[in-house]
Amino acid sequence: MTSTLLDYLRSVFTPTSVGELSSVLGEATVPTQKALDGLMPAITAGVINQAANQQGATKLYQLLSATSFATDPAMSELVGTGDHRQKAAASGNALLKQLFTDQPHRLAESTASYSGIGLASATTLSGLVMSVLMGFLHQQVTSQSLTQAQLTALLLGETDTVHGAIPAVLAGGLGWLIGTPRPAASIPLRNEPIAPVRTDDRPAGTPWWRWLLLALALVALLFFLLRGCRDKPSSQTVRESTTTTTDTLASDLDGNEPAVRVGVDLPGGRKLSLVEHSFNDSLARYLANKGSQTPRVFTFENLTFETDSARITTQARPHVDDLMQIMQAYPSLEIRIEGNTDSTGDDAINDPLSGERAEAVKQALIQGGIAASRVTTRERGDTKPVASNQTQAGRQMNRRIDVVITKL
């Protein structure tokens, strides 16, 4: 199962942004990423835990309805503008304090101990994550006109997935924040009394009105999800050009991803949600096999570039970010990135472009904190086809980026 809330947070705190943020905070990239990997699900679980009881749900809904939030945070501002970052962190920590009284300092202390970053940095990151999460929820409440019951159903529907993403080492000391996962059906959605514990021998049964409330909550959640799907832009943004012969490699690959995602555990407690059988899923499983041999070639599908350019598209950045996290989890891993083209068009243009695109992927990894010595590139041109260049489908397969595992 995927989590809308965690997916959003990860789209903001990408490895590239985390690398820049760690530099601003004076921390190393790997422990900063580790801290955020724990904070994002932990804080989300804490907010969900608030919604698990009537009083907490009411307090949370009032905060989201009445407070002004920056609903579209720009990491460039959080990283590059000290005043903006400090205000966002202070705002997030103030929200944590409103929901959890005098406890937020315990979250920063646990995070600092778990990840190895300083307490001040952990406090800043806690505030930033809370600020971004609450801003997103505020946006959902206002733009979708959610009622308190609908918000509660949305949050409780992600309980198990979010709890499962919290590193076990960190979760052990955060019971006060995250609570104990409970099924959504056991949480009252109105100001109704909780049925007392039965002490006689009669079968308990379930009153009809509880089933009605559960059905209403499920209908509200389904309405929200379907509405979100209608508003979500199509991921099919890259088009095939029959007249442009210089748009080589994977820039015109089908951007649609399979619906099935799988959770992948990486060394160090990090978890990724990857499309099943995708490049990064296959790579992670290969690396987890201690008997794996090198060299090994993986085709980086869904790595798209702007037409006639070596600029990686916005849609493809999450795939590169996943590769960064995998490389961070396997610090001895070394790779070679190879650019390939088909045999059509002008070699004087296509071949250099294939090398430039391979280099663009390398630079993205370096910006995310991967040492340059661990990544090399090669311009292959049309010398290594994997299919016939006589058909459109074959030429599309030949326009690709390959990642070669050279050292484990």
Side-chain angles (χ1 to χ4, degrees):
M1 296 177 62
T2 60
S3 165
T4 300
L5 302 179
L6 290 184
D7 285 348
Y8 178 77
L9 288 173
R10 289 164 181 158
S11 74
V12 175
F13 294 97
T14 65
T16 299
S17 299
V18 172
E20 298 171 353
L21 186 57
S22 63
S23 178
V24 170
L25 296 176
E27 304 284 355
T29 300
V30 172
T32 302
Q33 181 70 67
K34 184 177 181 180
L36 284 167
D37 286 343
L39 281 170
M40 288 188 286
I43 290 177
T44 303
V47 171
I48 292 174
N49 189 37
Q50 282 291 307
N53 63 82
Q54 185 66 35
Q55 182 179 358
T58 300
K59 186 175 184 180
L60 177 63
Y61 188 74
Q62 290 174 344
L63 271 178
L64 292 171
S65 302
T67 308
S68 297
F69 294 87
T71 57
D72 188 18
M75 280 304 296
S76 59
E77 294 182 355
L78 295 181
V79 171
T81 308
D83 184 59
H84 185 88
R85 182 177 63 258
Q86 292 168 4
K87 288 181 178 179
S91 174
N93 281 311
L95 290 168
L96 280 169
K97 189 171 184 178
Q98 288 188 63
L99 291 177
F100 303 102
T101 319
D102 296 324
Q103 301 286 5
H105 67 279
R106 294 175 59 186
L107 174 61
E109 290 172 350
S110 297
T111 301
S113 175
Y114 161 73
S115 65
I117 65 174
L119 181 58
S121 297
T123 301
T124 297
L125 294 179
S126 299
L128 291 178
V129 171
M130 183 63 172
S131 181
V132 172
L133 175 61
M134 293 290 280
F136 176 69
L137 289 175
H138 167 76
Q139 185 182 48
Q140 301 309 302
V141 168
T142 56
S143 65
Q144 304 288 344
S145 300
L146 298 182
T147 65
Q148 181 176 322
Q150 289 172 328
L151 174 66
T152 299
L154 168 66
L155 292 172
L156 296 182
E158 299 201 8
T159 301
D160 291 341
T161 303
V162 171
H163 273 263
I166 305 174
V169 176
L170 182 61
L174 296 181
W176 61 270
L177 172 69
I178 63 179
T180 302
R182 286 168 285 182
S186 66
I187 308 303
L189 298 181
R190 299 285 193 274
N191 290 320
E192 70 226 23
I194 299 177
V197 178
R198 298 177 65 91
T199 58
D200 55 25
D201 295 327
R202 290 175 297 161
T206 302
W208 66 269
W209 48 267
R210 286 187 180 273
W211 289 111
L212 178 60
L213 287 176
L214 174 59
L216 290 174
L218 292 175
V219 169
L221 177 60
L222 179 62
F223 170 79
F224 171 78
L225 293 176
L226 290 176
R227 186 171 179 179
C229 290
R230 287 197 301 270
D231 295 338
K232 185 177 180 179
S234 170
S235 60
Q236 181 80 21
T237 59
V238 183
R239 59 182 177 87
E240 176 79 11
S241 172
T242 58
T243 58
T244 305
T245 60
T246 57
D247 185 21
T248 59
L249 303 181
S251 60
D252 49 7
L253 288 180
D254 187 346
N256 290 329
E257 295 181 346
V260 179
R261 285 184 172 268
V262 292
V264 177
D265 295 322
L266 298 178
R270 186 173 306 174
K271 294 187 177 183
L272 292 179
S273 174
L274 302 174
V275 176
E276 190 173 23
H277 305 308
S278 66
F279 160 74
N280 282 308
D281 178 38
S282 299
L283 175 59
R285 296 181 187 280
Y286 162 82
L287 294 172
N289 185 352
K290 297 185 182 301
S292 298
Q293 301 294 317
T294 59
R296 175 70 181 271
V297 181
F298 294 87
T299 296
F300 203 156
E301 85 285 356
N302 289 336
L303 177 58
T304 57
F305 298 85
E306 296 180 13
T307 303
D308 296 336
S309 169
R311 287 188 295 273
I312 301 171
T313 63
T314 302
Q315 294 84 355
R317 286 303 303 221
H319 304 303
V320 179
D321 291 340
D322 286 339
L323 176 57
M324 290 179 196
Q325 296 205 50
I326 292 173
M327 294 194 70
Q328 288 169 355
Y330 291 92
S332 63
L333 173 65
E334 295 182 7
I335 64 174
R336 181 173 67 248
I337 304 171
E338 299 183 347
N340 298 269
T341 72
D342 60 28
S343 62
T344 61
D346 188 344
D347 288 346
I349 297 177
N350 285 351
D351 291 357
L353 183 58
S354 72
E356 291 169 5
R357 287 180 169 178
E359 185 64 28
V361 179
K362 175 180 178 177
Q363 291 305 314
L365 294 174
I366 292 174
Q367 291 172 9
I370 304 301
S373 60
R374 298 175 59 193
V375 185
T376 58
T377 61
R378 177 176 293 178
E379 174 189 309
R380 285 283 191 183
D382 60 3
T383 63
K384 200 175 181 181
V386 294
S388 171
N389 281 302
Q390 302 306 309
T391 65
Q392 179 178 337
R395 291 191 294 272
Q396 181 171 310
M397 292 176 65
N398 290 333
R399 297 190 293 269
R400 69 192 190 281
I401 288 286
D402 285 338
V403 174
V404 183
I405 309 304
T406 58
K407 181 181 177 181
L408 294 177

